[in-house]
Amino acid sequence: MQSRKISLLKGITWRIIGTLDTIFLSWLFTGNISQAFKIGGIELFTKIFLFYLHERLWLISNIGKENILTDSGLIIKKDKHWRSIAKGISWRIMGTADTILIAYFITGDYTKAFEIGFTEVFTKMILYYIHERVWLKYA
C-alpha cells in the first residue's frame, strides 16, 4: 500500500499541473487574469485536500487491480490501465464540481463557471491520466 507521503506528493504535483491548467482556462474564458489567478489560487488549497481524500479512497479499493505471482512466490497487486481511467473520471467529477463552484463565486457568472468547468473535463482527464501513469512507476 502506498504511503501517505507518496499520496501527499502526488497531490502536490498534480495540483501544480491542475492549477496552471485552471488559470489558463479561466483567463481564456473570462479574459480577466486577476479572476483567473483568484480561481486558481482558491483551487490550489481546496483541491489538494480533495485529491488526497480521493487518492486514499482509491488505495483501499481493489477495483481494477490484478494479482501477479512473482518468481519468488509473492503475490503483488498491479493496477490495470482502465483503473487509471476510472480514477481519472471519478476525480474529474469531484474536481469539476469544485471548479464550477469556485468560478461562480469569483465571477458571479454561472455561464463562465460552467464553460471553465466543462472544458476542464477534457483537459484534466488527459493530464491526470499521464500524471497517474508516471507516478505508478515511482510508487
Side-chain angles (χ1 to χ4, degrees):
M1 185 176 267
Q2 282 185 350
S3 71
R4 285 176 166 69
K5 183 178 177 181
I6 293 292
S7 293
L8 182 61
L9 289 174
K10 280 178 74 174
I12 290 169
T13 57
W14 170 246
R15 199 62 256 138
I16 291 167
I17 294 165
T19 297
L20 291 174
D21 183 56
T22 298
I23 290 168
F24 174 74
L25 292 174
S26 297
W27 171 68
L28 188 67
F29 285 108
T30 66
N32 184 321
I33 196 69
S34 176
Q35 286 184 340
F37 275 103
K38 286 178 186 174
I39 293 166
I42 292 170
E43 273 196 353
L44 180 64
F45 297 101
T46 60
K47 287 202 175 137
I48 286 174
F49 171 74
L50 290 173
F51 185 91
Y52 178 82
L53 182 65
H54 179 264
E55 187 69 14
R56 298 310 297 172
L57 290 172
W58 271 96
L59 285 172
I60 61 175
S61 168
N62 285 320
I63 297 170
K65 289 187 176 187
E66 63 181 325
N67 291 330
I68 305 290
L69 183 60
T70 64
D71 293 336
S72 62
L74 294 174
I75 296 176
I76 60 170
K77 293 191 178 287
K78 183 178 176 188
D79 286 6
K80 296 179 181 181
H81 283 274
W82 69 263
R83 179 180 165 92
S84 296
I85 294 169
K87 283 177 71 175
I89 291 168
S90 66
W91 168 245
R92 199 61 257 139
I93 291 168
M94 288 178 71
T96 296
D98 186 54
T99 298
I100 291 168
L101 289 172
I102 292 168
Y104 178 72
F105 175 74
I106 296 298
T107 67
D109 183 339
Y110 71 89
T111 304
K112 290 191 186 319
F114 277 99
E115 287 173 339
I116 295 164
F118 286 126
T119 303
E120 271 194 351
V121 169
F122 301 102
T123 60
K124 293 275 193 315
M125 281 189 357
I126 293 165
L127 292 170
Y128 183 88
Y129 177 80
I130 294 166
H131 179 262
E132 182 68 14
R133 297 313 297 174
V134 168
W135 269 102
L136 282 174
K137 293 180 182 180
Y138 295 103

